Amino acid sequence: MLLSMGAFRFGDSHLEFKMEPKDLHRDLFFHRINYGNNTHLNVSVIVGEDNKASIYVALDRNDRPYYACDAGCIDSPMQLS
């Protein structure tokens, strides 16, 4: 249920957050999403005063380096900590 509520989708060694921007009108927090044997992710959606949502991803526990990028990976991926 947690994955469907956030419109998360696993595919081809990556996790996608497929929620439409128009649906991001409140703060959302997803804790300890299991992503492999020893890896857990935390995803936070924070809506600012300007009604724009920012998405933050952090590793709660990991077994190797992981990276994140924006939609379409236009910018270079950043290593998660």
Side-chain angles (χ1 to χ4, degrees), residues 31-78:
H31 295 281
R32 296 188 58 87
I33 297 172
N34 189 1
Y35 189 76
N37 292 338
N38 291 318
T39 302
H40 294 117
L41 297 169
N42 294 326
V43 178
S44 302
V45 178
I46 310 289
V47 179
E49 294 291 325
D50 57 356
N51 287 330
K52 291 188 179 181
S54 297
I55 300 172
Y56 301 94
V57 180
L59 292 169
D60 195 13
R61 188 171 81 176
N62 65 311
D63 57 355
R64 62 180 186 200
Y66 287 90
Y67 299 86
C69 60
D70 56 0
C73 286
I74 296 170
D75 296 323
S76 298
M78 298 175 56

